[in-house]
Amino acid sequence: MKQYLVSALIAALAAASALAQTADELLAKVDANVSYGSISYSARMEITIGGETRYKTMDAVGQGSTKAFAEFTNPEDMGTRFLKLDKNLWIYFPKEQDTVKISGHLLKEGMMGSDVSYEDSLESSDFPAKYSAALKGEEEVEGRRCYLVELSAKIPTAAYDRRLLWIDAERYLSLKQEMYAKSGKLLKVSRVLEVSRIGERWFPSRSEYVSKLRNNTKTVFAMTKIELDPPIDSRQFSMSSLTK
Amino acid sequence: MKRCAMLIAALSALSITWAQEASSLGAGGSLSSEPFASWAEARQGGSTAGWSYGSSTTLGLELRARGEKARAEASFEAAVLTGTAAGEAWAVAGSSLARRDELLLPMYTASAAAPETLVAARVRSLYVKYDAPWASVLAGRQVINYGRGVLWNPADIFTELDLSGLSPVRRGSDALRLLVPLGQTEGLDLVAVPASAPADGRYALRGSGVIGSLDGAAIAAHDGAKKAWLLGADFKTDLELGVVGDAVYEIPDAGGGELRAVAGLDYSFGFLVVALEYYYNGGGALADPFFPGRHNGYASLSLGATELASISAVAIVDLEAGTGSLLLLASLNLAQNADLELFLKGSRVTGCDGYAASSGMGIVVKF
């Protein structure tokens, strides 16, 4: 009997290990699909609050997961620029010719009134470094077969304590995400609405974000003119480029 | 003055030339209208109190031309002021606090002392910028905007703070500027604000950089008008709550010295954002005529009720004299390009030892 129990325990541990490995492999595949050396794109952000919709447009470039630069092009915010360098974020306001560093306590606020927080925009896609992953099974999202992966934060600086990812079983993209606080409260839900084929990769080009901390709001982020790994002058990611 | 006009004319011509070569041209602006009612009481020389009305309608225009290496920007503002708004602007223009960059034209004057209607115009910015691989040159009217404080920036020896509207506005300086980036976040900034006599101008060298989460800068300057050297520093750091410090020590050529310094904090509790600042003005009215008290305080509470509506309260107080103002402001985003603002402002003023209050609304349309 004792022998049977030990064998069962070993088998269970082996199975758990295999599942964990599979979840890590899945994350690695997702990462390979959506990570880039550099990126440039234009975007339109549609922020819906109640029945009211406001839009913002921008041109953006990024290098790896630590450097990004965006300039808003809609009339109300024309010339407003963002620079992200690692964990630091600055905003340049053209009318005031003023550069302001965003304080840490404001990073959880919605960026430019959207459901995407400054922290979301700063987050690198390097999930394996911040979360331990577990495969929870398979589910369908929008008619597509997905692996359900649960991520649990293993470092205190991770943006969310727990995340659920629905990963497309064929294209290795996270089609849906739920982000949770330490208390277990659901904070945010994101869904991919459109996927584009760029070279050999599948890339999420239109996504919806819903902050559960706000009432009746959502933000649709649509990317166009996406270029992956274009040459970008590294001087673009500097304080001086904010005022150029 | 003549030199300044010549500089602006030359810059305008240069801007047009560069604009023709530029790869992108842009224009935008805003129109805002702000009718209000005021009540004021003066206790000195017998108590008097009364109501008055006024309005301010402002058109702002912005023009931009951007090329690969050169850029030209201009922004102009023209306002029609009536009633109390006209009277107050006229009174300020005749005082030591007169704005040097504003042109006031009385349209209708019932009495020589207080025009009923006034047109106020100013060039907010008008500058050209050229980016060489190793440096950038800016010439013309620009907001230099040093310092990290939300309201006060003693380390910014160039920029004048204007609190006549619902939110603080920093006024431009006619300057020649050389910006030399030394890295991703480090740089040197040389500024000259010329005067008719070169010795009366203001000249500064500022170095800035980032260490970890600390943005910092140090400045050394000479103010020819004051005949004084100024040494200053400012920083903003992130200890989960934002912490700012900003100080300048003024050393007159004649000897002596005085300190002006700001310490501030900002933090948020959910949707409520709080900012606090303390300003020590060791030089009194001579050093800062807009905030002559030695100890001053600023507090701002801002509540984002929804993403389309916010409520804020801002208090600015001379802690020694017990004078100051409190502004309550509600903002509502009506449409993609339109905002509605409702305000109530109360103040206790020195001189007449009285109280004043005003309330009104503003509609801002951006295009």
Side-chain angles (χ1 to χ4, degrees):
Chain A
M1 184 65 186
K2 194 176 174 184
Q3 206 171 17
Y4 282 127
L5 275 173
V6 170
S7 302
L9 189 61
I10 289 168
L13 285 171
S17 166
L19 278 174
Q21 210 172 23
T22 308
D24 287 339
E25 280 171 11
L26 278 170
L27 281 185
K29 282 181 178 173
V30 171
D31 201 42
N33 208 16
V34 298
S35 66
Y36 41 77
S38 63
I39 187 171
S40 79
Y41 62 91
S42 295
R44 181 182 165 95
M45 207 154 64
E46 284 180 9
I47 305 158
T48 303
I49 302 158
E52 297 280 325
T53 299
R54 305 282 183 267
Y55 77 89
K56 295 181 187 297
T57 55
M58 70 176 97
D59 294 324
V61 290
Q63 207 168 57
S65 58
T66 57
K67 295 177 185 174
F69 182 90
E71 178 169 355
F72 282 81
T73 51
N74 56 297
E76 295 87 350
D77 307 300
M78 181 72 79
T80 300
R81 295 170 192 163
F82 281 77
L83 172 68
K84 166 197 164 183
L85 291 173
D86 296 317
K87 282 283 176 191
N88 293 312
L89 184 69
W90 292 270
I91 304 182
Y92 173 73
F93 298 99
K95 192 175 165 187
E96 293 81 11
Q97 292 182 257
D98 195 13
T99 301
V100 176
K101 186 179 194 300
I102 299 293
S103 297
H105 64 88
L106 290 172
L107 294 178
K108 290 192 187 296
E109 299 294 316
M111 185 173 66
M112 303 292 273
S114 72
D115 294 70
V116 183
S117 70
Y118 293 107
E119 198 168 51
D120 291 335
S121 75
L122 284 172
E123 189 180 37
S124 72
S125 56
D126 189 10
F127 284 151
K130 295 176 188 168
Y131 297 93
S132 51
L135 183 60
K136 293 299 206 184
E138 289 186 20
E139 283 184 17
E140 271 201 6
V141 173
E142 307 284 337
R144 297 193 66 87
R145 189 168 68 89
C146 290
Y147 297 113
L148 175 58
V149 174
E150 183 182 52
L151 303 182
S152 303
K154 56 185 183 188
I155 55 169
T157 51
Y160 300 96
D161 187 65
R162 192 168 73 95
R163 308 169 87 122
L164 290 178
L165 271 63
W166 283 260
I167 295 169
D168 189 314
E170 284 175 48
R171 299 181 295 187
Y172 295 103
L173 279 172
S174 169
L175 290 184
K176 185 183 166 188
Q177 265 198 65
E178 289 180 356
M179 294 82 144
Y180 293 85
K182 210 167 190 170
S183 63
K185 185 177 181 176
L186 178 61
L187 298 174
K188 201 167 285 181
V189 177
S190 73
R191 280 191 314 137
V192 171
L193 304 177
E194 224 169 274
V195 175
S196 298
R197 186 80 168 156
I198 299 172
E200 294 301 308
R201 304 177 188 193
W202 293 103
F203 198 83
S205 53
R206 193 160 168 263
S207 305
E208 179 191 82
Y209 299 84
V210 178
S211 170
K212 296 294 180 183
L213 296 178
R214 312 196 306 178
N215 287 329
N216 206 11
T217 72
K218 68 173 183 179
T219 298
V220 173
F221 191 82
M223 299 163 80
T224 55
K225 301 179 194 164
I226 304 168
E227 278 186 71
L228 295 180
D229 301 319
I232 296 173
D233 187 340
S234 61
R235 283 175 296 185
Q236 179 75 53
F237 307 103
S238 66
M239 297 288 274
S240 60
S241 65
L242 279 173
T243 57
K244 273 213 188 320
Chain B
M1 188 65 192
K2 194 176 166 187
R3 183 170 290 196
C4 183
M6 282 169 63
L7 174 70
I8 290 172
L11 288 170
S12 304
L14 195 55
S15 304
I16 290 163
T17 311
W18 283 9
Q20 285 167 347
E21 293 171 1
S23 58
S24 74
L25 288 166
S30 64
L31 181 64
S32 64
S33 186
E34 205 177 274
F36 63 91
S38 296
W39 177 87
E41 180 205 35
R43 289 178 177 173
Q44 225 170 47
S47 182
T48 55
W51 284 92
S52 58
Y53 302 91
S55 71
S56 164
T57 303
T58 308
L59 172 68
L61 283 177
E62 288 151 30
L63 302 167
R64 294 171 295 271
R66 275 172 76 174
E68 193 63 32
K69 289 185 174 175
R71 192 179 88 191
E73 288 205 14
S75 63
F76 310 95
E77 210 170 81
V80 176
L81 310 175
T82 67
T84 313
E88 283 174 0
W90 195 247
V92 168
S95 75
S96 59
L97 303 179
R99 305 287 177 192
R100 287 168 292 181
D101 63 347
E102 205 163 60
L103 177 70
L104 295 180
L105 294 172
M107 300 296 285
Y108 171 69
T109 310
S111 69
E116 266 300 301
T117 307
L118 202 65
V119 172
R122 71 182 176 106
V123 177
R124 209 163 52 201
S125 66
L126 180 67
Y127 67 93
V128 286
K129 187 177 184 211
Y130 176 73
D131 295 313
W134 61 276
S136 299
V137 179
L138 286 94
R141 179 163 296 174
Q142 56 200 287
V143 187
I144 291 171
N145 228 334
Y146 287 160
R148 319 278 167 169
V150 177
L151 183 68
W152 291 297
N153 301 113
D156 187 347
I157 62 159
F158 298 105
T159 310
E160 210 171 81
L161 190 61
D162 177 2
L163 292 172
S164 59
L166 293 178
S167 53
V169 172
R170 293 178 205 282
R171 298 273 183 147
S173 306
D174 299 311
L176 182 63
R177 198 170 174 189
L178 180 72
L179 297 164
V180 184
L182 300 174
Q184 255 183 354
T185 53
E186 300 79 30
L188 287 177
D189 190 350
L190 284 107
V191 182
V193 174
S196 303
D200 291 341
R202 277 175 291 166
Y203 307 92
L205 171 64
R206 184 178 192 253
S208 59
V210 176
I211 303 168
S213 66
L214 185 137
D215 272 26
I219 184 171
H222 189 262
D223 187 331
K226 286 185 171 179
K227 306 276 183 259
W229 282 93
L230 299 113
L231 299 173
D234 58 81
F235 72 89
K236 177 167 186 180
T237 190
D238 192 8
L239 306 168
E240 187 57 26
L241 77 166
V243 180
V244 295
D246 195 317
V248 70
Y249 191 71
E250 192 171 318
I251 310 161
D253 295 349
E258 63 203 25
L259 175 73
R260 285 181 289 133
V262 164
L265 300 169
D266 62 90
Y267 194 66
S268 54
F269 303 91
F271 294 111
L272 179 70
V273 181
V274 181
L276 300 170
E277 268 180 20
Y278 165 74
Y279 172 35
Y280 172 74
N281 174 14
L286 280 176
D288 186 346
F290 296 98
F291 298 98
R294 288 175 83 85
H295 304 286
N296 302 274
Y298 163 85
S300 159
L301 298 174
S302 181
L303 178 69
T306 74
E307 293 307 320
L308 297 180
S310 66
I311 303 164
S312 61
V314 176
I316 302 169
V317 182
D318 180 329
L319 298 166
E320 270 183 331
T323 56
S325 64
L326 174 67
L327 172 71
L328 301 174
L329 180 69
S331 302
L332 182 66
N333 184 241
L334 295 174
Q336 175 74 41
N337 61 343
D339 291 297
L340 170 70
E341 293 175 325
L342 300 170
F343 69 91
L344 176 63
K345 190 174 185 176
S347 55
R348 179 166 185 260
V349 289
T350 47
C352 60
D353 185 28
Y355 293 88
S358 60
S359 180
M361 58 176 278
I363 297 174
V364 184
V365 176
K366 293 175 184 168
F367 50 88

